[in-house]
């Protein structure tokens, strides 16, 4: 078996090295599919490309792939297409399994390793895992309203592709779904969590303004609600707890 990981990057690059390092020991191949403009035409930072080349030179990244979005298409369509570019590159590199990630998504390496070995041992074709969301490196949410999960490691041995809003037996990001069929072996992994740090970046407004969620009124309302959350109040009310800076993040 050979596992490939692909990161979709336009901004939030300050988190990328931490994200890759959290799983680099457990993946066989890493690519980064990057773009110079967002789904809405906003430019990336001047430092993005040099930083990516630095990480490639340090062998954290195996392959850099430039992606140019179609600004006439829906953001979610662009994002699904971009993730498929990463999937196809992983398949060309000989990968049998695949995970697609963003820059603010990190894992405990031991949990990741244990879960990967279970997937290989039992021939699981589609997996997902829980998400723990953080307001800062040391403040995390106890529970969430959406119950959203992360599509985890999936098999790509038979030419599988990501399909926007494809059927999967869990609620998850619609741009990351490989369709489940009657011959699939899906399984929800309780042995691993994705640690999500959506507010850990230099320019949070840049992320919010260019999110795929802006393509719908409901998405925009959810983004507004996310920005208006008060971590201190949530700590007082018991919806958040203090934790250690597990990944040594500098924010």
């Amino acid at each position: 078996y050979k596992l490939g990981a692909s990161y979709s990057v336009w901004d939030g690059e300050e988190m990328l090295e931490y994200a890759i390092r959290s799983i680099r020991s457990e993946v066989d191949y890493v690519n980064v599919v990057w773009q110079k403009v967002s789904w809405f035409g906003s430019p990336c930072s001047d430092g993005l490309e040099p930083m990516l080349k630095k990480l490639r030179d340090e062998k954290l990244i195996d392959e850099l792939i430039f992606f140019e979005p179609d600004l006439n298409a829906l953001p979610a369509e662009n994002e699904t297409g971009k993730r498929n570019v990463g999937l196809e590159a992983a398949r060309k590199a000989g990968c049998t399994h695949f995970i697609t990630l963003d820059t603010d998504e990190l894992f405990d390496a031991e949990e990741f390793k244990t879960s990967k070995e279970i997937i290989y041992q039992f021939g699981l074709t589609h997996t997902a895992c829980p998400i723990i969301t953080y307001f800062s490196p040391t403040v995390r949410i106890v529970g969430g309203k959406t119950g959203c999960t992360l599509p985890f490691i999936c098999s790509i041995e038979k030419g599988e592709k990501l399909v926007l809003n494809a059927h999967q037996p869990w609620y998850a990001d619609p741009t990351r779904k490989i369709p489940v069929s009657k011959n699939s072996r899906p399984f929800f992994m309780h042995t691993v969590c994705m640690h999500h740090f959506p507010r850990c970046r230099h320019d949070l407004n840049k992320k919010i303004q260019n999110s795929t969620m802006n393509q719908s009124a409901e998405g925009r309302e959810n983004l507004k609600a996310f920005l208006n959350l008060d971590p201190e109040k949530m700590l007082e009310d018991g919806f958040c707890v203090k934790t250690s800076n597990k990944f040594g993040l500098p924010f």
Side-chain angles (χ1 to χ4, degrees):
Y1 299 113
K2 184 175 180 179
L3 174 59
S6 178
Y7 288 86
S8 171
V9 179
W10 165 70
D11 76 330
E13 63 266 25
E14 57 268 32
M15 286 288 293
L16 181 61
E17 180 174 351
Y18 297 92
I20 296 175
R21 286 192 184 280
S22 76
I23 62 168
R24 180 72 257 206
S25 64
E26 299 306 322
V27 299
D28 303 290
Y29 163 86
V30 173
N31 71 48
V32 169
V33 187
W34 69 285
Q35 59 200 77
K36 290 186 176 180
V37 297
S38 74
W39 317 127
F40 303 94
S42 299
C44 68
S45 70
D46 293 338
L48 175 60
E49 187 172 2
M51 187 275 292
L52 293 177
K53 290 180 177 178
K54 174 179 175 292
L55 296 183
R56 182 188 60 190
D57 292 344
E58 294 174 356
K59 309 300 183 184
L60 283 177
I61 297 171
D62 295 301
E63 185 176 4
L64 291 177
I65 305 165
F66 179 69
F67 178 82
E68 190 166 354
D70 177 359
L71 299 184
N72 293 314
L74 287 173
E77 294 172 346
N78 266 316
E79 187 168 323
T80 304
K82 184 182 180 185
R83 294 189 189 280
N84 269 318
V85 168
L87 185 154
E88 288 305 316
R91 197 181 345 254
K92 287 180 181 178
C95 294
T96 59
H97 291 74
F98 177 74
I99 184 170
T100 177
L101 297 164
D102 291 338
T103 64
D104 55 7
E105 299 172 350
L106 286 71
F107 293 88
D108 176 281
E110 284 302 314
E111 289 182 358
F112 194 97
K113 178 181 180 180
T114 297
S115 302
K116 177 184 70 172
E117 290 173 349
I118 290 170
I119 290 165
Y120 291 169
Q121 180 181 355
F122 292 99
L124 305 176
T125 61
H126 299 68
T127 64
C129 71
I131 298 171
I132 300 175
T133 300
Y134 294 73
F135 280 106
S136 75
T138 57
V139 176
R140 68 174 178 85
I141 296 175
V142 173
K145 294 181 179 179
T146 64
C148 190
T149 62
L150 176 80
F152 190 54
I153 297 171
C154 292
S155 170
I156 56 170
E157 296 176 277
K158 299 178 180 178
E160 291 87 350
K161 295 186 72 171
L162 298 155
V163 176
L164 183 62
N165 289 313
H167 169 68
Q168 285 190 341
W170 34 69
Y171 178 70
D173 183 341
T175 71
R176 307 194 199 194
K177 294 184 174 183
I178 294 175
V180 169
S181 70
K182 64 179 182 180
N183 297 318
S184 301
R185 299 193 69 188
F187 192 79
F188 191 82
M189 308 298 296
H190 292 281
T191 51
V192 63
C193 292
M194 185 266 277
H195 299 262
H196 190 205
F197 296 86
R199 289 195 176 204
C200 289
R201 56 188 64 214
H202 295 323
D203 189 346
L204 182 59
N205 283 326
K206 186 177 180 183
K207 171 186 176 175
I208 297 298
Q209 292 164 6
N210 291 277
S211 169
T212 56
M213 294 175 70
N214 278 310
Q215 69 185 29
S216 71
E218 180 183 2
R220 289 190 292 273
E221 284 301 312
N222 287 337
L223 284 172
K224 183 178 178 181
F226 171 72
L227 276 177
N228 289 334
L229 290 174
D230 183 349
E232 292 301 322
K233 182 68 164 60
M234 294 180 75
L235 276 168
E236 291 177 10
D237 294 342
F239 292 106
C240 285
V241 293
K242 288 279 190 179
T243 185
S244 64
N245 189 350
K246 178 179 177 66
F247 299 100
L249 300 178
F251 298 94

